[in-house]
Coordinates of all heavy atoms in Angstrom, one line a residue:
L20 N -3.8 4.1 -2.1 CA -3.6 4.0 -3.6 C -4.7 3.3 -4.3 O -5.0 2.1 -4.1 CB -2.2 3.3 -3.9 CG -1.0 3.9 -3.2 CD1 0.2 3.0 -3.5 CD2 -0.8 5.4 -3.7
A21 N -5.3 4.1 -5.2 CA -6.4 3.5 -6.0 C -6.4 4.1 -7.4 O -7.5 4.4 -7.9 CB -7.8 3.7 -5.3
A22 N -5.2 4.4 -7.9 CA -5.1 5.0 -9.2 C -4.8 4.0 -10.3 O -4.4 4.3 -11.4 CB -4.2 6.1 -9.2
G23 N -4.8 2.7 -9.9 CA -4.3 1.6 -10.9 C -5.5 1.3 -11.9 O -6.6 1.6 -11.7
K24 N -5.0 0.6 -13.0 CA -5.9 0.2 -14.0 C -6.3 -1.3 -13.9 O -7.1 -1.8 -14.8 CB -5.4 0.6 -15.4 CG -5.3 2.1 -15.5 CD -4.9 2.4 -17.0 CE -5.2 3.9 -17.3 NZ -4.8 4.9 -16.3
G25 N -5.7 -2.0 -13.1 CA -6.0 -3.4 -12.9 C -5.9 -4.3 -14.2 O -6.8 -5.1 -14.5
T26 N -4.8 -4.1 -14.8 CA -4.6 -4.8 -16.1 C -4.6 -6.4 -15.9 O -5.0 -7.1 -16.8 CB -3.4 -4.4 -16.9 OG1 -2.3 -4.3 -16.1 CG2 -3.6 -3.0 -17.6
R27 N -4.0 -6.8 -14.8 CA -3.9 -8.3 -14.6 C -5.3 -8.9 -14.2 O -5.5 -10.1 -14.4 CB -2.9 -8.6 -13.5 CG -1.4 -8.5 -14.0 CD -0.4 -8.6 -12.9 NE -0.4 -7.4 -12.1 CZ 0.4 -7.2 -11.0 NH1 1.2 -8.2 -10.6 NH2 0.4 -6.1 -10.3
K34 N -10.3 -2.9 -10.5 CA -10.5 -3.9 -9.4 C -10.8 -3.2 -8.0 O -11.6 -3.8 -7.2 CB -9.3 -4.8 -9.3 CG -8.1 -4.1 -8.9 CD -6.8 -5.0 -8.9 CE -5.6 -4.2 -8.5 NZ -4.3 -5.1 -8.6
Q35 N -10.3 -2.0 -7.7 CA -10.6 -1.4 -6.5 C -12.0 -1.0 -6.3 O -12.4 -0.7 -5.1 CB -9.6 -0.2 -6.2 CG -9.7 0.9 -7.3 CD -8.7 0.7 -8.4 OE1 -8.5 -0.4 -8.8 NE2 -8.2 1.7 -9.0
G92 N -0.7 8.9 -10.8 CA 0.1 9.0 -12.1 C 0.1 7.6 -12.7 O -0.6 6.7 -12.4
A93 N 1.0 7.5 -13.7 CA 1.0 6.3 -14.6 C 1.5 5.1 -13.9 O 0.9 4.0 -14.0 CB 1.9 6.6 -15.8
E94 N 2.5 5.2 -13.1 CA 3.0 4.0 -12.3 C 2.7 4.2 -10.8 O 2.4 5.3 -10.4 CB 4.5 4.0 -12.5 CG 5.0 3.7 -13.8 CD 4.6 2.4 -14.4 OE1 4.5 1.4 -13.6 OE2 4.5 2.3 -15.6
R95 N 2.7 3.1 -10.1 CA 2.4 3.2 -8.7 C 3.2 4.2 -8.0 O 2.7 4.9 -7.1 CB 2.5 1.8 -8.0 CG 2.2 1.7 -6.6 CD 2.4 0.3 -5.9 NE 2.2 0.2 -4.5 CZ 2.8 0.7 -3.5 NH1 4.0 1.3 -3.8 NH2 2.5 0.5 -2.3
S98 N 2.0 7.6 -8.3 CA 0.8 7.9 -7.4 C 1.3 8.1 -6.0 O 0.7 8.9 -5.3 CB -0.1 6.7 -7.5 OG -0.7 6.5 -8.8
D116 N -2.1 -0.1 -0.3 CA -2.8 -0.4 -1.5 C -4.3 -0.5 -1.3 O -4.7 -1.2 -0.5 CB -2.4 -1.8 -2.0 CG -0.9 -1.9 -2.4 OD1 -0.3 -0.9 -2.8 OD2 -0.3 -3.0 -2.3
G117 N -5.0 0.3 -2.1 CA -6.4 0.3 -2.1 C -7.0 -1.1 -2.4 O -8.2 -1.4 -2.0
A118 N -6.2 -1.9 -3.1 CA -6.7 -3.2 -3.5 C -6.3 -4.3 -2.4 O -6.3 -5.5 -2.8 CB -6.0 -3.5 -4.9
K227 N -3.4 -8.8 -1.7 CA -3.8 -7.8 -2.6 C -4.6 -8.5 -3.7 O -4.2 -9.6 -4.2 CB -2.5 -7.2 -3.3 CG -2.8 -6.2 -4.3 CD -1.6 -5.3 -4.6 CE -0.4 -6.0 -5.3 NZ -0.7 -6.4 -6.6
Ligands
CTP304 N1 -1.8 2.0 -8.2 C1 -1.9 3.4 -8.2 N2 -1.4 4.0 -9.3 C2 -0.8 3.3 -10.3 C3 -0.7 1.9 -10.2 C4 -1.2 1.3 -9.1 O1 -2.4 4.0 -7.3 N3 -0.4 4.1 -11.4 C5 -2.4 1.3 -7.0 C6 -3.5 0.3 -7.3 O2 -4.8 0.9 -7.6 C7 -3.4 -0.7 -6.3 C8 -2.0 -0.6 -5.8 O3 -1.4 0.6 -6.3 O4 -4.3 -0.4 -5.2 C9 -1.2 -1.8 -6.1 O5 -1.0 -1.9 -7.6 P1 -1.3 -3.1 -8.5 O6 -1.9 -4.3 -7.7 O7 -0.3 -3.3 -9.4 O8 -2.7 -2.6 -9.2 P2 -2.8 -2.1 -10.7 O9 -1.7 -1.4 -11.2 O10 -4.2 -1.5 -10.9 O11 -2.9 -3.6 -11.5 P3 -2.1 -4.1 -12.7 O12 -0.6 -3.9 -12.3 O13 -2.5 -5.5 -12.9 O14 -2.4 -3.2 -13.8

Side-chain angles (χ1 to χ4, degrees):
L20 302 173
K24 294 188 161 45
T26 45
R27 285 171 288 180
K34 62 187 183 182
Q35 58 273 31
E94 297 295 332
R95 183 185 181 281
S98 297
D116 295 329
K227 179 161 66 69

